[in-house]
Amino acid sequence: MSDPGALKKGALTSATYDTVLQIGLRIMSFVLNAFIVRQVSRESFAVMSVRLHLLYSTGLLLSREAFRRAALSSKGNKEIYKVINLLWTGTLVSLPVGLLGWYIWMYVMEQPPESVTRHYSYGVLLILTSVVTEVIAEVPFVLAELQLWSKTKVVIEGVMQLLRSLLLALFVFLWPMHSVLVFGISQMLGSIVYSASYYIVFMRALRRKEDSSLPIHEFNQLLPKWSNGKMLPEVDHELGLLSWSFFKQGWLKEALTEGEHYIMNFFPLISLNQQGVYQVVNNLGSLAARLVFRSIEAAAYKYFAQMLYRGKSIKDQDQSRVAEVSRFFLSLFSNLILVSLLIITFGWSYSRTLLQIYGGSQLSDDDGTLLMRAQCFYVVFLAVNGITEAYTFAVMDDAELSSLRFISDQYKDSEYQPLQIDWVSGRPFFVFASCLALTTVSEAVVYPRSIILHIIFGFLCLILVAYLLRMEFKPVFEKLFDILDSCTRKLIGEGSPGNMLNPLVITKYLRRFLYGSTKK
């Protein structure tokens, strides 16, 4: 698919579906974690949510991330078997990665006490098997992404996470003393459903033979293909170099994103109980990054990778595409920073409230509130890093992946400046600063007397911010209105045009109130 409009629409649709999925999953995870924390000890919760989850994320990052990013950069259907062979290489890599992970988690890291976490060794093996199982599904996953089958990813990942969460909650309720073992079982069952679902989707699509744009026509083309006289499956040379560059970058990314978890597990700086408290606070504080930024980053990467050619200068690219990419980047970049500032503004004054509601005084007292506030500031760096990383990884060649200041240097001699934001010192900062001052006063004066009134005051401030910055947030609001309208039409149709409770009528008047017109 090479049409710029279709690519942009596909990327936005993918980000929208993925964001909706992540919001649903995180709300469910929010509730279930509150339930699980009350069923198991803090130490057991730390082993599940910190140590075993770290093994799972590390295994997936090192086994599939590099090959997935490189394959998503491929354009056209020429020699698709080489792309498929490259993705199967990830399965081969997952075996030594899993063996190394097993050795480190079993013999290098300090073992948790048996009295606290039974069946730890089985939990490690189940997590590693889960990693290999998911990597096996990379071929149909990438082909579905290249076809912009956004709903497929949302449905399959949604079912997998829902199954894992419900099974874990049920198992922990029935057998709380075996929480680590049932965590591994839940992960493994979810991975089996995930991989099987992708292959079933392609089996049905190939059987119907309705989509002629598919790069493959038989189910056995999903498997690796050997050339005569070759010991290993042949891969595309350029994509192979990109994969190696991404693989090297993966180690650095892992150290930056999971560094604190490695420190906690390799060095006895804090107890398992403290790790459990930290993880709860960390999960709550990083909700924005998990809900929005990760989905947008993944969709933007696909868009940039398909719109621009890797390794070419801006002058040698299609200028209409360069202009479109520059506008898209600037809009996305500025809106992510706005959302980050919004999180800081309200996160500072409502961190204590959230922790008190979620886990009681054991979370909100002492350092829990300070840690949550620090997480809110961290969101700004996540937003900037996410979108710039998506762009650079999509358009750098294998040599440039080790350079710095890539985006500004690339556009240095161009009329386009995607990093130039001219509003950062104006109205938004004044509005956010004023709101931060008001909510801070509310936390000091109103919160000790009534949490409910403190929350109501914050909600009113949020509405005020949304109105005052309605022009800056216009792309975000319009996208939300479109989602609401689309969902309404699918569920209830157009409905009565005069019914004020109809969401279509509500969004119509909201558009008129905010922007003076019902037209976009």
Side-chain angles (χ1 to χ4, degrees), residues 179-458:
S179 56
V180 173
L181 177 62
V182 298
F183 176 79
I185 294 174
S186 302
Q187 290 286 116
M188 181 61 201
L189 291 176
S191 297
I192 292 174
V193 170
Y194 171 86
S195 295
S197 298
Y198 266 109
Y199 281 100
I200 290 173
V201 165
F202 266 84
M203 186 182 298
R204 295 182 60 184
L206 293 171
R207 185 177 298 170
R208 291 196 304 266
K209 296 183 178 180
E210 295 176 355
D211 193 346
S212 59
S213 65
L214 281 174
I216 62 172
H217 307 288
E218 297 179 358
F219 185 79
N220 60 9
Q221 289 181 277
L222 294 173
L223 303 177
K225 179 181 178 182
W226 272 266
S227 303
N228 293 332
K230 297 286 186 179
M231 182 177 298
L232 295 175
E234 185 180 3
V235 302
D236 183 272
H237 179 69
E238 180 182 355
L239 295 183
L241 291 176
L242 283 175
S243 298
W244 176 239
S245 297
F246 286 139
F247 186 78
K248 291 185 293 184
Q249 291 282 332
W251 290 95
L252 177 59
K253 180 179 180 180
E254 181 69 2
L256 293 174
T257 56
E258 302 285 0
E260 75 276 17
H261 292 148
Y262 280 107
I263 292 174
M264 286 190 296
N265 283 285
F266 279 104
F267 304 99
L269 300 177
I270 61 176
S271 65
L272 282 175
N273 179 67
Q274 291 172 319
Q275 288 186 30
V277 174
Y278 167 82
Q279 189 62 13
V280 172
V281 174
N282 181 58
N283 286 339
L284 292 175
S286 61
L287 274 178
R290 295 169 184 265
L291 292 179
V292 181
F293 297 160
R294 185 175 298 177
S295 303
I296 292 176
E297 178 184 346
Y301 174 80
K302 288 190 296 182
Y303 172 72
F304 294 141
Q306 295 295 313
M307 285 288 287
L308 298 178
Y309 284 91
R310 190 180 297 277
K312 282 190 175 182
S313 67
I314 289 298
K315 292 182 178 180
D316 296 333
Q317 304 267 5
D318 184 328
Q319 292 303 299
S320 62
R321 290 194 170 205
V322 171
E324 182 65 26
V325 167
S326 180
R327 286 193 296 268
F328 180 73
F329 185 99
L330 178 59
S331 174
L332 199 57
F333 190 60
S334 59
N335 279 278
L336 286 177
I337 293 182
L338 275 174
V339 172
S340 304
L341 295 176
L342 185 68
I343 292 171
I344 291 177
T345 300
F346 289 92
W348 181 268
S349 302
Y350 288 88
S351 293
R352 188 188 305 275
T353 305
L354 178 60
L355 291 176
Q356 178 68 32
I357 294 173
Y358 190 75
S361 59
Q362 62 180 341
L363 289 180
S364 61
D365 291 348
D366 300 327
D367 296 330
T369 299
L370 292 176
L371 182 60
M372 178 66 81
R373 288 172 174 171
Q375 285 282 348
C376 294
F377 279 95
Y378 182 51
V379 165
V380 178
F381 299 97
L382 290 177
V384 174
N385 176 74
I387 186 62
T388 52
E389 180 184 87
Y391 180 88
T392 53
F393 277 16
V395 300
M396 281 180 172
D397 59 27
D398 61 292
E400 290 169 330
L401 281 169
S402 303
S403 63
L404 300 175
R405 299 182 57 84
F406 174 78
I407 301 176
S408 58
D409 289 344
Q410 189 188 34
Y411 284 88
K412 181 171 57 176
D413 299 324
S414 170
E415 61 179 301
Y416 309 107
Q417 298 298 325
L419 290 177
Q420 183 178 341
I421 305 176
D422 54 9
W423 51 263
V424 291
S425 59
R427 252 168 58 96
F429 272 101
F430 175 77
V431 172
F432 285 132
S434 301
C435 185
L436 176 60
L438 291 173
T439 53
T440 301
V441 171
S442 175
E443 183 183 30
V445 177
V446 180
Y447 175 82
R449 295 173 172 80
S450 173
I451 294 179
I452 300 299
L453 290 179
H454 180 53
I455 294 174
I456 293 174
F457 183 79

Side-chain angles (χ1 to χ4, degrees), residues 7 19 34-35 46 68 76 87-88 117 130 153 190 202 233 290 304 321 361 392 423 426 429 467 498:
L7 288 172
T19 300
F35 169 78
R68 173 182 287 189
L87 292 170
W88 277 105
T117 55
S130 175
K153 176 184 177 182
F202 266 84
R290 295 169 184 265
F304 294 141
R321 290 194 170 205
S361 59
T392 53
W423 51 263
F429 272 101
Y467 177 75

